[in-house]
Amino acid sequence: EQTEFDASAQRLRFQEDSGYQRVRAITGLGLKEAKEKVESAPSRHSRRRCKEEAEKTKEQLEALGATVEII
């Protein structure tokens, strides 16, 4: 049974700096890395998390308008 999960953002687009700041807060990345993640979607925004943590990341990214899947 799978025990580790990733949250993968398939689509995430916005222009506001506050959106990048929110992705940064969710992922724990620096601002530059957060911008790169957003601009290079699809990309993984969490790695090797328990299912509950991956679901929480998914919900937070979806609140920003992302399309996210748990893999």
Side-chain angles (χ1 to χ4, degrees), residues 1 10 12 19-20 27-28 37 52 54 62-64:
E1 181 179 328
Q10 302 303 307
L12 180 57
Y20 294 119
T27 62
K37 283 280 189 189
E52 293 80 18
E62 286 177 337
L64 294 176

Side-chain angles (χ1 to χ4, degrees), residues 4-52:
E4 295 181 333
F5 300 85
D6 299 335
S8 177
Q10 302 303 307
R11 183 187 63 78
L12 180 57
R13 296 278 183 238
F14 49 82
Q15 298 296 323
E16 312 156 11
D17 283 341
S18 63
Y20 294 119
Q21 292 289 347
R22 290 173 64 191
V23 170
R24 181 176 178 245
I26 293 167
T27 62
L29 297 171
L31 183 57
K32 180 181 175 186
E33 292 82 6
K35 284 183 177 183
E36 289 171 355
K37 283 280 189 189
V38 169
E39 293 166 0
S40 68
S43 61
R44 291 183 180 183
H45 286 272
S46 71
R47 295 186 183 271
R48 309 283 191 258
R49 296 184 175 207
C50 68
K51 187 163 185 152
E52 293 80 18

Side-chain angles (χ1 to χ4, degrees), residues 4-7 46 49-60 68-71:
E4 295 181 333
F5 300 85
D6 299 335
S46 71
R49 296 184 175 207
C50 68
K51 187 163 185 152
E52 293 80 18
E53 290 175 348
E55 288 290 341
K56 182 178 178 183
T57 300
K58 178 182 177 186
E59 290 172 11
Q60 291 172 323
V68 183
E69 68 178 76
I70 301 295
I71 53 174

